[in-house]
Amino acid sequence: GSLESECRHFIEVVKVYVGEWVCEPAIWGSWTHRGVLTSHASSRWISMEVDRFGLIMRETPQLPMSRAIRRYARSFAQMAAREPIYDVTCSNDDWDTRRRMAENAVKPELMARKKSSSFTLGGLSTYASISSSKSFFSEGSSQDNNGG
């Protein structure tokens, strides 16, 4: 299935497929949504409480994953300063750019891990336990008009 995003900035409706996401700018800064996201069939989604996510990031600055996420956030802010940002990622180039940003954000942690056998991304397991105890994710679903 897919979702459809309609926004006055786009000529056509933008399809959002399984594995893609929407509204990423809201994670990294102040954001006003500028469109309508529609599902024409049953859908499931995961949403994130941005304030809680920010609190966890502030409480765990020493974790390797937290450092990587902050690096990605800085890259996102730099990208937003150079070019328009929308609720949806619009092209393969956008996806490639964000993938590269994420790879570059985690690279220092991976390099440190290679240099020291005692270093682990233990932050990942610690981060996961913090996240589950202070969950900032929630799930939702919608049902199509046929009750399915």
Side-chain angles (χ1 to χ4, degrees):
S2 67
L3 302 172
E4 295 179 348
S5 178
E6 296 179 66
C7 174
R8 64 183 174 92
H9 297 285
F10 305 131
I11 295 171
E12 298 178 0
V13 169
V14 176
K15 294 234 183 224
V16 180
Y17 296 98
V18 172
E20 296 180 348
W21 62 89
V22 296
C23 307
E24 182 182 7
I27 298 171
W28 311 121
S30 179
W31 183 254
T32 301
H33 298 288
R34 301 178 185 147
V36 176
L37 187 65
T38 306
S39 172
H40 297 286
S42 295
S43 303
R44 293 185 56 99
W45 67 86
I46 296 174
S47 62
M48 183 169 77
E49 292 182 35
V50 175
D51 292 337
R52 210 173 238 183
F53 174 73
L55 177 65
I56 291 169
M57 293 303 299
R58 286 188 297 280
E59 289 179 349
T60 59
Q62 75 287 358
L63 296 179
M65 187 53 70
S66 293
R67 291 191 298 263
I69 290 170
R70 281 194 305 279
R71 277 192 293 276
Y72 180 86
R74 282 190 296 273
S75 295
F76 192 92
Q78 291 167 354
M79 180 180 67
R82 291 188 313 266
E83 58 194 66
I85 301 293
Y86 302 103
D87 284 334
V88 295
T89 304
C90 305
S91 70
N92 287 334
D93 288 341
D94 289 344
W95 287 109
D96 290 342
T97 298
R98 295 195 189 175
R99 187 193 77 247
R100 280 191 306 277
M101 287 171 25
E103 289 169 352
N104 290 335
V106 298
K107 193 179 293 183
E109 308 311 327
L110 296 175
M111 296 303 288
R113 183 177 186 189
K114 287 181 182 179
K115 288 180 184 177
S116 168
S117 60
S118 63
F119 176 87
T120 66
L121 278 177
L124 280 177
S125 59
T126 305
Y127 182 76
S129 65
I130 290 169
S131 297
S132 63
S133 66
K134 299 179 182 180
S135 180
F136 51 83
F137 288 109
S138 60
E139 287 189 59
S141 64
S142 67
Q143 301 296 320
D144 62 31
N145 292 335
N146 298 326

